[in-house]
Amino acid sequence: MIRAAALTVIIETSLFFLMGYRRKRFLAVAALANLLTNVTLNLAVLATVLLCEWQGIPGLLVYAVIAAGE
């Protein structure tokens, strides 16, 4: 999960830089916000998967969580 979050932060921050957002403060805030939301979304997906397995709910609920988080 940490590697996926780090990869997402690197890619999205690099894209911001390439699009012209070059202020250090903006890039730092964007990277931090991306890291926090990515980790939170991954934990929500994990909790949903575990809940679906535990309750016998179809796993399609995971896609709803991902769509809402994105």
Side-chain angles (χ1 to χ4, degrees):
M1 178 169 64
I2 299 299
R3 283 185 278 175
L7 184 61
T8 302
V9 169
I10 290 168
I11 290 172
E12 291 194 12
T13 306
S14 298
L15 287 175
F16 275 130
F17 182 79
L18 291 174
M19 288 189 302
Y21 298 99
R22 298 221 165 96
R23 290 187 176 171
K24 290 180 184 178
R25 180 177 285 174
F26 176 80
L27 292 175
V29 169
L32 181 61
N34 195 334
L35 180 67
L36 293 175
T37 57
N38 189 291
V39 170
T40 303
L41 180 59
N42 285 338
L43 290 174
V45 168
L46 177 64
T48 305
V49 167
L50 293 176
L51 181 67
C52 287
E53 288 180 3
W54 185 51
Q55 295 290 330
I57 302 170
L60 293 176
L61 185 60
V62 172
Y63 295 111
V65 170
I66 292 172
E70 288 295 330

